Amino acid sequence: MNSVILKTTSKFLFVLMLIFSIWVLIRGHDAPGGGFVAGLITSSAFSLYVIAHGVERLRKVVVLELSALLCTGLICVTVSSITAWLKTLPFLTACWVPLGSFFLGTPLLFDLGIYLVVIGSLLIIVIALEEGGG
Amino acid sequence: MLVAICSGFVLSCIIPWLVKPSKNRLWSWILAILPLILFVYFLHFLPQVMQGEKIFYRFPWFEAVGVSLSFCLDGLSWLFALLITGIGTLIVIYSGAYFGAHPEIDRFYSYLFIFMASMLGLVLSNNLIVLFVFWELTSLSSFLLIGFEHQKKGARTAAFQALFITVAGGLALLAGFILIWVYTDTFELDVLLAQQDILRQNTHYLAILSLMLIGAFTKSAQFPFHIWLPKAMEAPTPVSAYLHSATMVKAGIYLLARMHPLLAETTVYFVILSSVGGFTMLLGAIQAIRQTDMKALLAYTTIMALGSLVFLLGSNEENSIKAAVVFLLSHAMYKAALFMAVGDIQKRTQTRSLRKLHGLRKAMPVTFGIVLITAASMSGLPPLLGYYVKELVYEANLAAPIASQILVGTVMLSNMMLAMLGMLLIIKPFFGKEPAVTVKEADPQMWFGGILLAVMTIILSFIPLLLYQVLIEPALSIIMPTHVHEKAHEVSFWPALTPSFALSVITFFGAIILYLSRNWVRQGSTALNALFSRYGPDYLYYRIMEGIAIIACWQTRWIQCGLLRVYLGITFLTVATVLLTASFFYPGGLPYITLPRVDWISAFLSLSVLACAFSTLMVRTYFSGLVFLGLLGMTNALIFLINAAPDVAMTQVLVETLIVIIVALNFYKQPPIPDLEKDTINSSLIRAFIAVSSGVAVTILLLNVVQNPLDLSVNDYYLQNSLPLGKGGNVVNAILVNFRSLDTLGEILVVGIAALGVYGLLKRKSGRGEKQS
């Protein structure tokens, strides 16, 4: 779409939305948010960017291959599920590591995995549509 | 023991990274180290197995349904394990030379190791369900192996037929196992074997028996399921040597042997096995005679051998079972060697046809030696193993209580034909005039395995006591626990003057006569075969396949017509019907409608939703409809927000936005879609009906839910435990990624797959677009 206003504003909005999505991802543990929502926000950001600037620019911005995003997400999810096996616990048991008063654990990795999968999937769909299939 | 079995699987996963086609030969020697290690590992259990000990390994898995990973190494499984790993080693070495620098050789080794590991798991398994899992794994891996040359249509069809038949048998087997569980409450074989008569005295013995026999017969190529085995000769020769002579087809035999204490020794068992086995035996022999391709000949003789094994296992005589075990061993050895020899000949002379081969005796002396020894074992010439088997069989059948003449006659006839075929294999390719083109001896790596097996045959024939005590006796005492231990039994392979010797002599002369008149015999066999191919099981199989395809086409044409609105209409109509009928039968009765007291903002939002919905109906273009639908979704999100569900509200807002964007992109980029004015009254009425009924159904459902007392115990559990167990304050997130993470795992997998599907659909370069009215 050849709109100057859209092009300019989308650049700023894009960055803002990405920062926002990461914030939502991290705060999801204790307040409304989480992996799904953050992924959707990122996808909206990318859709806005793609409508304004076109697919080639978007591919340059998203340096990684889309399938790499999808697969990294699935790997995160799988790794977080099977770490329980190291402690001979059943599949998908959550394992926590205390850091002071803060806990790091496999559900966080799981959430990150969800985030990446959602971004990857929606980007694949949007880019396929934008490139004009059929 | 678990490590031993899983090592094959692990190795098969890493092979693709290791093996390069150019270094095939080197890698075949390296990879053969694993089966060799396993062979030695199993061998070191020799003293314990000879004492009759059983070595168990258990790992709890699904205790709730009685499935645990339990394995048991006893005489029978030990014999099989040695065969699997020993011959496996030789086959891996052989494949190195057979394939040369085949580009997909890494895949071949992977499949081969998966197969070997599955077969090991099958024979070692002590739990019926675990046995079934490995059974199916062997079917799958043999499918992959048979269809290895997947460019050839013949290979693909053969692989599919093998898979279809063995998997169908596998289903019957599973049904049989579950029946056993229903009546004995256990899947563990050692528990079952401790109470021997438990299955025989069961009222459902016949059902269990028939199901298990179907499973065993499909795998071991008995009539009428034998049709997949000759076609499986499309597989490369190493595959045939391993799967279709030494191991996979023996899985059914193993099952019969293993369940022998539980199921055998009834008349019906004897009758079924003897008749099916005997018929298969004769059938295989007759079909084998008319073959000119050596590999096909060996395939049919394998069917013969399997038939005789089934035949032998059906009887209650100790000699029969003894013969079965020895025959198992000798057949595995000679068949594998013969297949390998045929591969040698094919590699050097580019042909397998008996008509074209002659005079290779001087050119390929080693191969000639291998074939001489192993085919002689096949024919049953003294003093080799085969002769011992035949003697035992004759003794057993002479002493059989029922119909001994028929049994002896059947066995004699098939033995004659088998001996004739052995002679054919020895004489035809190797004697006669020298070949026109100079032929070299096969690669040493290729005859290495064959020579080893031939030498083993000779050793075992000349040291029968070794054979007996070490290999046969332990297996025998597993199959027939009531068998009397005969430690100092004088076992001799040399002819002695007994009635069975007379029968053997008759057989031998009969074979010579058959050989000399082989053209006559061939014509007779071809005539019989013509009859079979018109009305036989192969024909039936093809008709069944065609029938399935026809029904599938008809059904697909009817239901899947390609129009999205039809799919949606059917889906919604079905949901509405199900919900409405369920709510009529619901004991709580139909709900009543009351007007609840709401605050003004909820009322406002609900009215906005209604307004959006009406506007969607009224608009004239799809794009405006889309906008109003989006607005409807956003208003829904506000309703969620008002009712203290911020996560859901956020998700709804974003999903709505993305839906509008994606559908709008679709509108712009896809071929133009028809306008709304083109609808007729009829289609509008149908759609109105579907919409209204769905709406009413969902409303009734929701009213029912709201008006019934609410059970909040699950809610309370999550609210209380979110912070201590889930270590997070956001209950919704804790449920998603922690408490119910398995569901979420499934959901994101689906999201990923959907994305790939959309990508695939959109990237197809054909001109078809989906009609989206």
Side-chain angles (χ1 to χ4, degrees), chain A residues 80-130:
Chain A
S80 75
S81 320
I82 60 181
T83 43
W85 280 351
L86 293 173
K87 294 193 189 168
T88 66
L89 288 169
F91 186 66
L92 277 178
T93 311
C95 308
W96 296 95
V97 164
L99 270 190
S101 66
F102 183 62
F103 283 98
L104 274 185
T106 48
L108 298 175
L109 190 60
F110 196 85
D111 221 7
L112 185 65
I114 297 178
Y115 179 66
L116 290 171
V117 168
V118 171
I119 300 179
S121 313
L122 282 168
L123 264 183
I124 289 178
I125 295 180
V126 166
I127 288 188
L129 281 170
E130 181 66 23

Side-chain angles (χ1 to χ4, degrees), chain B residues 72-90:
Chain B
C72 164
L73 184 67
D74 60 13
L76 181 64
S77 45
W78 185 71
L79 181 64
F80 267 96
L82 285 180
L83 272 177
I84 296 170
T85 47
I87 299 187
T89 322
L90 299 173

Side-chain angles (χ1 to χ4, degrees), chain A residues 28-31 33 77 131 133-134, chain B residues 647 665 727 729-730 733 745 762-763:
Chain A
H29 204 51
D30 288 314
V77 166
E131 279 177 343
Chain B
D647 289 89
L665 277 176
K727 314 238 185 314
N730 186 355
N733 200 17
L745 184 62
L762 287 173
K763 287 299 180 185

Side-chain angles (χ1 to χ4, degrees), chain A residues 23-70:
Chain A
W23 178 68
V24 169
L25 171 69
I26 296 181
R27 95 194 274 257
H29 204 51
D30 288 314
F36 275 120
V37 186
L40 290 172
I41 297 177
T42 319
S43 310
S44 312
F46 284 129
S47 318
L48 179 65
Y49 195 79
V50 106
I51 292 177
H53 293 266
V55 181
E56 290 83 30
R57 291 280 313 263
L58 182 72
R59 280 207 204 265
K60 281 197 217 136
V61 167
V62 178
V63 178
L64 306 161
E65 275 225 30
L66 299 175
S67 46
L69 269 176
L70 192 56

Side-chain angles (χ1 to χ4, degrees), chain B residues 139-150 152-169 218 225 227-235 244 248 538 541-549:
Chain B
S139 294
L140 261 178
S141 39
S142 82
F143 166 75
L144 290 170
L145 282 168
I146 296 177
F148 179 64
E149 311 267 350
H150 53 84
K152 293 196 286 192
K153 183 163 199 286
R156 294 201 298 270
T157 337
F160 182 73
Q161 188 177 32
L163 186 70
F164 188 75
I165 295 181
T166 48
V167 168
T218 47
F225 306 116
I227 42 181
W228 65 267
L229 192 54
K231 292 230 193 53
M233 292 302 126
E234 295 281 345
H244 306 127
M248 165 154 145
D538 216 5
Y541 171 79
Y542 282 115
R543 295 296 294 191
I544 292 178
M545 287 289 124
E546 271 175 33
I548 292 179

Side-chain angles (χ1 to χ4, degrees), chain B residues 563-628:
Chain B
L563 293 174
L564 194 59
R565 69 164 168 234
V566 175
Y567 300 157
L568 281 178
I570 294 182
T571 314
F572 281 126
L573 200 56
T574 318
V575 169
T577 320
V578 167
L579 283 177
L580 282 172
T581 42
S583 51
F584 274 122
F585 289 114
Y586 187 64
L590 285 178
Y592 44 92
I593 305 179
T594 56
L595 278 176
R597 281 183 29 189
V598 290
D599 49 316
W600 66 271
I601 190 158
S602 300
F604 172 70
L605 286 174
S606 317
L607 284 174
S608 320
V609 169
L610 280 174
C612 289
F614 272 121
S615 320
T616 321
L617 287 177
M618 297 303 194
V619 292
R620 290 287 105 208
T621 61
Y622 279 115
F623 195 68
S624 339
L626 179 65
V627 169
F628 277 115

